[in-house]
Amino acid sequence: MTNLLITGGAGFIGSHTALVLLEAGHRLVVLDSYANSSPEALRRVAELAGPGAAARLQLIEGDIRSEHDLERAFAACSALGGKPADAVIHFAGLKAVGESVAEPLRYWDVNLSGSRQLVGAMQAHGCRTLVFSSSATLYGYPETVPIPETATIAPINPYGHSKAAVEQLLADMAASEPGWRIARLRYFNPVGAHPSGRIGEDPCGIPNNLFPFVSQVAVGRREQLQIFGGDWPTPDGSGVRDYIHVMDLAEGHRAALDVLLAEGPQLLTLNLGSGQGHSVLEVAAAFEAASGRPVPLKIVERRPGDAAITVADPSQAAQRLGWRTSRGLADMCRDGWAWQSANPDGYEA
Ligand code: NAD
Ligand code: WQD
């Protein structure tokens, strides 16, 4: 049984991954400030994980930028498992592209300074195994699609710049002393929810991302989906993305952790995506089919900073982790709808 520290574990991806890791028998300490999440998510995770799981899950409310809060989290790890943390999975961060343009300092502070503080605490506690939430946003406007990990890193917004900086920091750490086991996982477009509909994505305010927006239209919280551009060089003119079911993504984290713990020190850099592209129009139609509700839509101007098509080349993850996605667009819509219809106002309802 391993002792894991999960930063940002109450969030969308963190909560689903926490469930998969509890089900795999690990002990977890979650450090989260609830800046963009609710403790209710983890209460439900413990409930889904079944009898006895709650005793293997401890929550620490705190900030990754605070040395004091990190100390509390590492101390909780030792207390929970009788030994120091074996690994850290680092989800905590800010992720809204538009907000990062308006507030770059906050993004550099939370994403870069927070990660720097965390890595320092790991070093102080002799923990050198880390799985980091990176993003396909690093590729900016990709030169080739599907996108391999060797593609040029060229982010086009402060959020992306902060992720690129953390990736570089982790590469520098891995080169600085032997022993580091680091996975930098570049997610494409995570969507959907646990099939129970008990946990899911609960964005604050108007969703920036397509999937939560579509599901809020289907449930009647918003009137209409605006499609950002109908003249992209794609088969139906709307933008194409690589959507990945959040449960596939959660299982990808478990696979990456298993590889890091089983193998020697290394720096793994992997795309986590399906390798399949779907257009905005396809997503809207699939969501209508899954929900039985109409998704009224209107084509409007392109959104600044969008690329026509981003799709992962996921072959490295398959080779190194023995992991690949198993859920398709219909599953993402079915499970996303199970969450949205049972929790129309999210966790705080
Ligand atoms: P999320 O906002 O749901 O989860 C992030 C969690 O971090 C939240 O629970 C939030 O409260 C917490 N947090 C924020 N600042 C904190 C701080 N200073 N100290 C402690 N906790 C803090 O987002 P998510 O979608 O689950 O994303 C998780 C990670 O994956 C992020 O690092 C994000 O950049 C990355 N990522 C997300 C996507 C996506 O589309 N969702 C894609 C690629 C990468
Ligand atoms: C998907 C498609 C839009 C909303 C973002 C971040 C990226 C990563 C994942 C964190 C695009 C279109 C959207 C709407 C629309 N996050 N769209 N109407 O832009 O691929 O990636 O989330 O790392 O960094 O940039 O995702 O869901 O915003 O958009 O037509 O109301 O849907 O133009 O084609 P994106 P998205």
Side-chain angles (χ1 to χ4, degrees):
M1 197 184 282
T2 56
N3 264 4
L4 305 174
L5 171 58
I6 319 275
T7 74
F12 171 44
I13 304 167
S15 57
H16 291 78
T17 306
L19 175 58
V20 164
L21 295 171
L22 279 176
E23 286 173 343
H26 300 301
R27 280 185 291 250
L28 316 184
V29 169
V30 169
L31 174 64
D32 202 305
S33 64
Y34 306 123
N36 193 38
S37 56
S38 159
E40 173 64 10
L42 289 167
R43 203 191 59 71
R44 296 189 188 184
V45 163
E47 180 189 289
L48 286 168
R56 288 185 285 113
L57 174 64
Q58 189 174 340
L59 315 185
I60 303 282
E61 182 171 355
D63 196 302
I64 52 166
R65 292 167 294 177
S66 155
E67 202 177 326
H68 174 69
D69 291 347
L70 286 166
E71 280 307 311
R72 286 166 57 224
F74 276 97
C77 257
S78 301
L80 188 65
K83 58 173 182 165
D86 294 297
V88 174
I89 306 189
H90 178 30
F91 295 104
L94 302 176
K95 62 166 182 176
V97 170
E99 190 181 70
S100 80
V101 175
E103 301 176 66
L105 276 181
R106 196 153 76 87
Y107 273 69
W108 281 97
D109 186 33
V110 174
N111 291 359
L112 181 59
S113 307
S115 300
R116 180 252 164 268
Q117 204 67 27
L118 172 69
V119 170
M122 288 179 67
Q123 200 172 37
H125 287 270
C127 174
R128 289 187 176 73
T129 304
L130 174 66
V131 178
F132 171 62
S133 297
S134 189
S135 170
T137 201
L138 292 189
Y139 300 121
Y141 301 112
E143 293 150 350
T144 50
V145 180
I147 309 170
E149 289 84 353
T150 49
T152 307
I153 300 303
I156 56 164
N157 53 62
Y159 166 66
H161 292 140
S162 71
K163 287 286 177 188
V166 178
E167 280 213 0
Q168 186 60 54
L169 165 67
L170 298 180
D172 292 347
M173 292 309 297
S176 70
E177 58 178 352
W180 283 93
R181 300 158 190 252
I182 297 176
R184 304 183 299 184
L185 304 182
R186 297 175 180 164
Y187 318 151
F188 277 66
N189 291 61
V191 300
H194 188 265
S196 65
R198 293 290 291 154
I199 56 173
E201 185 171 14
D202 183 18
C204 296
I206 302 172
N208 300 303
N209 295 115
L210 177 66
F211 235 81
F213 201 101
V214 169
S215 59
Q216 291 190 8
V217 172
V219 85
R221 240 172 102 175
R222 313 214 172 261
E223 231 168 74
Q224 179 181 65
L225 170 68
Q226 296 199 330
I227 299 194
F228 300 144
D231 57 354
W232 293 101
T234 60
D236 66 20
S238 65
V240 169
R241 295 290 180 274
D242 184 333
Y243 297 97
I244 172 170
H245 195 297
V246 67
M247 294 306 298
D248 277 328
L249 188 58
E251 288 164 9
H253 286 77
R254 185 184 57 198
L257 185 69
D258 288 348
V259 164
L260 290 183
L261 292 171
E263 295 182 3
Q266 59 185 304
L267 177 66
L268 270 178
T269 306
L270 297 172
N271 287 339
L272 296 188
S274 71
Q276 297 285 318
H278 292 289
S279 73
V280 181
L281 284 166
E282 278 182 90
V283 169
F287 212 92
E288 281 191 328
S291 64
R293 301 284 185 91
V295 177
L297 41 87
K298 182 180 169 192
I299 294 178
V300 299
E301 287 296 290
R302 290 182 182 186
R303 180 174 67 176
D306 268 349
I309 307 180
T310 60
V311 173
D313 173 348
S315 56
Q316 282 301 312
Q319 202 178 314
R320 293 292 294 114
L321 308 181
W323 167 93
R324 62 184 76 240
T325 61
S326 64
R327 298 158 178 94
L329 183 60
D331 304 312
M332 300 174 207
C333 295
R334 182 199 59 220
D335 297 339
W337 180 243
W339 155 254
Q340 184 69 66
S341 54
N343 306 272
D345 298 313
Y347 288 113
E348 301 298 347

